[in-house]
Amino acid sequence: MVVRLNEQERAEKLQPLLEAGWTLVEGRDAIFKQFILKDFNQAFSFMTGVALLAEKINHHPEWFNCYNKVDVTLSTHDVGGLSSQDIRMANHLETAANLLK
Amino acid sequence: MVVRLNEQERAEKLQPLLEAGWTLVEGRDAIFKQFILKDFNQAFSFMTGVALLAEKINHHPEWFNCYNKVDVTLSTHDVGGLSSQDIRMANHLETAANLLK
């Protein structure tokens, strides 16, 4: 069962993401990061990889794309805030973006 | 050369899109429509088809996706407003969305 992150998980798993450029969204328990890729091809390649994982783990990002930019917001609807699913997805996004650099 | 739509083109080509649910964006010469698909798989399938056309004609949408919803804004950066490229892209989006219904 997916539950909201507790304080220990926030310190151990969320903090490294905040140090990697993710920010807490105002007014809701969610995290945000803008990824800047080389061009649209790279941005959509990045999104496609993420989409496959999203379907696999049934956890989907909210995202906005404009040419080479991808703005991603993560939160878990079912628990009304951040869960381990968001941590997993955020770490995957970090890896995927780094591979495309 | 791509240029902004003239009055005749707006009447002939833009008007049918407005009647199909596209709306003019406030404060800029752009059009917007929200597409609601069956689920994330269908939404991302829709986006993938559009992405291939976008690369082919080098004209890219601004879009936001959250699960089965895809919010699309079209405008042509190089001309600071709507051009025939946006009409082409909007008509493609209509066709692609209808195919997935």
Side-chain angles (χ1 to χ4, degrees), chain B:
Chain B
M1 202 183 99
V2 178
V3 294
R4 275 177 82 156
L5 296 178
N6 61 33
E7 287 313 308
Q8 192 185 338
E9 288 166 331
R10 283 169 196 265
E12 286 174 8
K13 297 175 183 168
L14 184 57
Q15 193 54 40
L17 290 167
L18 299 179
E19 285 160 20
W22 289 82
T23 55
L24 293 168
V25 177
E26 223 178 286
R28 59 187 285 218
D29 190 25
I31 50 174
F32 170 90
K33 185 171 180 176
Q34 179 173 80
F35 292 89
I36 300 179
L37 290 298
K38 202 185 81 186
D39 53 23
F40 179 76
N41 183 308
Q42 294 287 281
F44 203 77
S45 299
F46 170 66
M47 292 174 74
T48 302
V50 173
L52 296 180
L53 177 68
E55 278 294 268
K56 191 172 179 179
I57 69 173
N58 193 30
H59 188 60
H60 304 86
E62 298 166 36
W63 47 8
F64 172 81
N65 161 243
C66 180
Y67 196 61
N68 66 328
K69 294 192 187 79
V70 184
D71 293 347
V72 184
T73 301
L74 299 175
S75 189
T76 304
H77 188 262
D78 287 352
V79 304
L82 290 166
S83 76
S84 58
Q85 293 281 70
D86 300 303
I87 300 295
R88 180 175 178 179
M89 182 59 81
N91 284 317
H92 178 82
L93 283 153
E94 288 297 313
T95 305
N98 284 329
L99 284 174
L100 288 167
K101 265 181 193 164

